[in-house]
Amino acid sequence: MEQSEVVLRAIGILTQSAEWIRTANRDSDGNVGAEGGAEDGERASGEGGSGERASGDGGSGEGQIGSLLAEVFPSFTVSPESTPLEAAHAVTAAALPPMMQLIGAFTYVFAQLAEVHDSGRTDITSEELLRELALRMSRSNDAV
């Protein structure tokens, strides 16, 4: 998977997580005291509320992150005759490059967000910046 694709997926996860947090905050602010008991009980038991959006299906954080990991990390086999040290080296050799790719993608996006925040800009929200980054990354040959 190309680095720009990994960055786009990281942007998607960060954008969606902001929406989940906003929805969860809105749900908790709107339901505490206003509608009372049953709604709070439903959320506590895992039914209704924002809990369903945060786990389980492919649109969830776990689903999106799991899908990204499955696409980025290669499958590999370790010989049954390998010593534990040889197996550890094989896993490290296979996992390190994609792990660095993921860390690089999230670090890049964080640095872009931090730069705008630290500069004191108020003309753009974090979501607008994430959209702008996604557009930039999806254009031809924009590399990280």
Side-chain angles (χ1 to χ4, degrees), residues 76-91:
F76 61 94
T77 56
V78 176
S79 170
E81 293 84 33
S82 296
T83 67
L85 184 58
E86 291 169 336
H89 284 291
V91 170

Side-chain angles (χ1 to χ4, degrees), residues 5-144:
E5 294 172 297
V6 177
V7 170
L8 285 169
R9 296 288 296 275
I11 290 169
I13 289 168
L14 293 172
T15 301
Q16 187 62 51
S17 69
E19 179 60 30
W20 292 322
I21 291 167
R22 200 172 24 262
T23 300
N25 288 340
R26 190 171 40 242
D27 286 352
S28 77
D29 289 346
N31 292 324
V32 175
E35 295 177 15
E39 184 72 18
D40 293 335
E42 285 176 356
R43 270 199 316 275
S45 69
E47 298 172 19
S50 62
E52 288 179 353
R53 285 184 293 275
S55 64
D57 65 30
S60 71
E62 289 175 16
Q64 287 185 26
I65 293 168
S67 175
L68 176 60
L69 292 174
E71 289 180 37
V72 171
F73 281 89
S75 59
F76 61 94
T77 56
V78 176
S79 170
E81 293 84 33
S82 296
T83 67
L85 184 58
E86 291 169 336
H89 284 291
V91 170
T92 301
L96 191 57
M99 194 172 299
M100 295 303 292
Q101 190 177 36
L102 285 170
I103 291 168
F106 280 96
T107 301
Y108 171 76
V109 175
F110 173 80
Q112 295 296 305
L113 289 166
E115 182 180 321
V116 169
H117 175 271
D118 292 350
S119 72
R121 285 183 57 187
T122 58
D123 62 318
I124 188 168
T125 66
S126 59
E127 286 184 56
E128 291 168 339
L129 178 59
L130 289 171
R131 261 193 306 277
E132 183 180 300
L133 285 172
L135 287 171
R136 193 179 334 152
M137 295 305 299
S138 62
R139 284 189 219 125
S140 63
N141 299 332
D142 276 359
V144 177

